[in-house]
Amino acid sequence: MTRLFVDVHVLQTVPPSNVNRDDTGSPKSAVYGGVPRARVSSQAWKRATRTMFADLVDPATLGVRTKRVVELVAAAITATSTDITEPEAAAIEVIKAAGVKDLEKPKRGKKNEAAEDEVEQSKYLIFLSATQIQRLAALAIEAARTGEPVDKAAARAAAQSTHSIDVALFGRMVADAADLNVDAAAQVAHAISVHAVNNEFDYYTAVDDRAPEDNTGAGMIGFVEFNSSTLYRYATVNIEALRTNLGDDIATVRAVAAFVTAFVRSMPTGKQNTFAHRTLPDAVLVSLRTDQPVNLVTAFEEPVNAAGSARAIGAAKALADRYQAIENAYGNGGTVNFVVAAGDGAAELTTLAEPAPLSDIVTEVAARVTAALGEAS
């Protein structure tokens, strides 16, 4: 097939918020271009994207990432066959046969002792598709009924084939079974503000509803750190790698459509009840590239300053200028662009493509990915 990458560039203004905080509770940050920036980690936006998949595709076709893999497989065993008297033991056997041998009882209490009455868990998160869980459960049931050990090759094959779209996009690492690893077909950058940002503090009080009328004190006081920013977000999908992971053209197209939609529309939920920070992007640029992925963050190494107009307008102009400079210097002439424009801030990007609704762009991207996959048939 023709080599194809789907690059997604997003400019999004977020109001006062603490979308993604560090170990001290402060909004995450970074220094770029010599000035402090607001930052939202790639992990936070990948999680938000993956969570939105459930609204876009059949949730039963998605994966589960958990340490409670024994419980997960045991539940599938019980749902399939009620005659297995020890589903947890059967699940442990098939999971270990697949190569995940590092299981332990969860630690509880002040002395960090194992809870004897709890099911064993893996020491790290494991990402399995729904189909893989069902196949492992079927092998466990067969072994329990015949009394024979679970075939290790069959167990590994069950955990390696029929990946869900989220496993195929975001990858999987299994520490003690490297052959179960899945290379991610999607890469997501840390989002950073296009301008310098200094955090602020909100000092708040809460009133006790049952306090006497002459009590002027607060029932609780505290503070929360926050900032506001216009973020540049970037992600890319390697279509060839995605097709390899999924092994199916239709699933590949479905995965691309779900990813572009979810990445653009999703929002991490940190402190969401406090700030209600849900916004949608000011502008989106989707580029189908046949050369290589290109992160355009260098457009904002020089911070964008709002001089009498919305910062998003300056950011869109900087993004369009940087894109054109990259294309003039390195482009192969094969890049196809699509633009979603919401408000004046996106007007500068209309030099790259005629604006269209996100749904129409996703449909067109899916069609072009289908055509590229068809060339390999």
Side-chain angles (χ1 to χ4, degrees):
M1 61 170 286
T2 301
R3 190 164 70 155
L4 186 63
F5 302 94
V6 180
D7 281 3
V8 186
H9 310 270
V10 178
L11 294 174
Q12 185 162 359
T13 300
V14 182
S17 56
N18 190 344
V19 175
N20 182 211
R21 54 193 184 271
D22 64 18
D23 57 332
T24 69
S26 300
K28 287 188 176 180
S29 61
V31 174
Y32 185 65
V35 299
R37 312 287 184 119
R39 176 172 66 92
V40 180
S41 71
S42 60
Q43 295 90 335
W45 230 298
K46 282 190 281 189
R47 168 70 178 175
T49 300
R50 188 164 63 87
T51 300
M52 184 170 276
F53 284 165
D55 298 329
L56 304 173
V57 300
D58 182 357
T61 66
L62 297 173
V64 178
R65 188 178 65 176
T66 182
K67 291 183 178 180
R68 299 176 180 272
V69 64
V70 173
E71 292 180 17
L72 201 63
V73 176
I77 292 171
T78 302
T80 304
S81 178
T82 57
D83 64 327
I84 306 301
T85 57
E86 297 183 352
E88 288 85 6
I92 289 171
E93 182 182 355
V94 74
I95 290 166
K96 288 185 174 181
V100 183
K101 299 181 175 62
D102 214 355
L103 303 175
E104 63 178 5
K105 295 275 189 179
K107 301 295 192 297
R108 293 289 184 271
K110 293 182 179 179
K111 295 183 180 179
N112 205 29
E113 295 177 347
E116 294 299 327
D117 59 338
E118 293 201 34
V119 179
E120 289 186 19
Q121 299 178 7
S122 60
K123 290 186 177 180
Y124 44 81
L125 294 169
I126 298 177
F127 208 171
L128 291 171
S129 72
T131 302
Q132 289 166 350
I133 293 165
Q134 292 299 325
R135 289 183 174 182
L136 289 171
L139 290 173
I141 292 169
E142 181 182 359
R145 286 174 175 169
T146 62
E148 297 292 328
V150 175
D151 183 86
K152 292 183 178 180
R156 284 184 179 267
Q160 286 175 315
S161 58
T162 321
H163 298 305
S164 56
I165 66 170
D166 42 2
V167 174
L169 282 163
F170 298 121
R172 177 176 71 195
M173 187 183 77
V174 182
D176 52 357
D179 57 322
L180 296 182
N181 291 348
V182 179
D183 290 334
Q187 298 173 353
V188 178
H190 289 237
I192 66 168
S193 63
V194 302
H195 53 90
V197 166
N198 291 313
N199 292 341
E200 300 179 70
F201 294 86
D202 176 33
Y203 172 81
Y204 62 87
T205 64
V207 177
D208 187 336
D209 291 344
R210 297 284 295 172
E213 290 185 7
D214 61 351
N215 184 347
T216 59
M220 172 185 156
I221 60 174
F223 69 88
V224 61
E225 200 168 353
F226 68 93
N227 59 38
S228 60
S229 62
T230 296
L231 298 170
Y232 169 68
R233 299 166 43 206
Y234 169 75
T236 185
V237 180
N238 183 329
I239 300 302
E240 185 177 4
L242 183 60
R243 174 61 177 79
T244 298
N245 286 348
L246 290 171
D248 180 83
D249 288 358
I250 295 175
T252 300
V253 174
R254 186 182 300 123
V256 172
F259 179 84
V260 173
T261 302
F263 181 70
V264 170
R265 296 183 64 91
S266 62
M267 173 66 76
T269 57
K271 290 286 185 180
Q272 187 167 273
N273 290 344
T274 302
F275 291 102
H277 57 256
R278 289 199 69 103
T279 61
L280 286 169
D282 302 288
V284 179
L285 169 64
V286 179
S287 296
L288 302 188
R289 307 189 65 94
T290 57
D291 49 2
Q292 67 180 69
V294 179
N295 185 329
L296 297 176
V297 70
T298 48
F300 311 111
E301 184 176 11
E302 178 70 26
V304 175
N305 296 311
S309 61
R311 185 172 276 115
I313 295 176
K317 183 179 187 309
L319 185 65
D321 289 348
R322 185 57 181 169
Y323 170 86
Q324 201 59 63
I326 291 289
E327 284 300 295
N328 291 341
Y330 302 105
N332 63 3
T335 302
V336 179
N337 295 315
F338 305 94
V339 168
V340 180
D344 295 337
E348 297 289 346
L349 292 177
T350 59
T351 59
L352 305 181
E354 188 70 23
L358 177 63
S359 57
D360 291 355
I361 288 173
V362 170
T363 299
E364 181 62 25
V365 168
R368 289 178 179 267
V369 170
T370 299
L373 293 170
E375 293 176 7
S377 302

